[in-house]
Amino acid sequence: MIEPNADSPPLASLLTEWAQHRAPRERAAVAALVADEELLHRDEIRTALITKQDGHMACDWARLARRHVLVPDLSASDRAFLVLVLAIAQRTAAPLGQLDTLGEHRLTLVLRALAHLGGSDTPAAGERA
């Protein structure tokens, strides 16, 4: 796993900075993960997702897609959220039947990411303005 040193900015800031130079789908996926404030704190998720590219922290979506099923102790909400974030980042299909396991906070994050991809900057359903 690659982690920033003690003098560097927090991982969320590093990933957000990296995402600014990526496709809108990846920016939306990173924004959802950062706003979630749970999964990026898990060592197994960071190990599966974070890599270093050209000296900067980056997301390796393909590696996370392969490894997230091996992460123990993921709740149904954790797993569904990761699947949906991966679908956003990689333009893959995701089972929408898992939406009911997300909870209001994560559902709002997914809806916000989807609204962003659709070209809307207005708050998504469920989000308080």
Side-chain angles (χ1 to χ4, degrees):
M1 173 181 60
I2 299 174
E3 293 188 45
N5 66 40
D7 297 329
S8 65
L11 180 59
S13 296
L14 294 170
L15 293 179
T16 300
E17 180 182 325
W18 169 80
Q20 296 309 309
H21 307 288
R22 306 297 296 178
R25 60 189 165 78
E26 288 183 281
R27 285 195 302 271
V30 167
L33 276 174
V34 166
D36 175 59
E37 298 179 350
E38 286 184 35
L39 290 174
L40 284 180
H41 292 289
R42 294 187 63 148
D43 289 337
E44 319 92 286
I45 300 300
R46 287 194 313 267
T47 299
L49 175 65
I50 307 304
T51 188
K52 207 169 210 178
Q53 294 176 352
D54 301 323
H56 300 288
M57 296 300 199
C59 293
D60 186 337
W61 304 112
R63 187 170 66 193
L64 180 61
R66 290 188 309 270
R67 293 185 179 180
H68 83 278
V69 295
L70 303 174
V71 175
D73 304 327
L74 283 180
S75 68
S77 176
D78 292 341
R79 202 165 300 281
F81 185 69
L82 279 177
V83 167
L84 290 163
V85 166
L86 284 167
I88 291 167
Q90 296 185 303
R91 291 187 182 162
T92 57
L96 296 180
Q98 297 178 349
L99 289 173
D100 62 344
T101 66
L102 291 179
E104 185 177 345
H105 176 67
R106 284 182 168 166
L107 179 59
T108 299
L109 298 178
V110 169
L111 291 174
R112 186 183 307 150
L114 293 173
H116 175 75
L117 290 179
S120 174
D121 288 331
T122 57
E127 180 179 327
R128 295 188 176 132

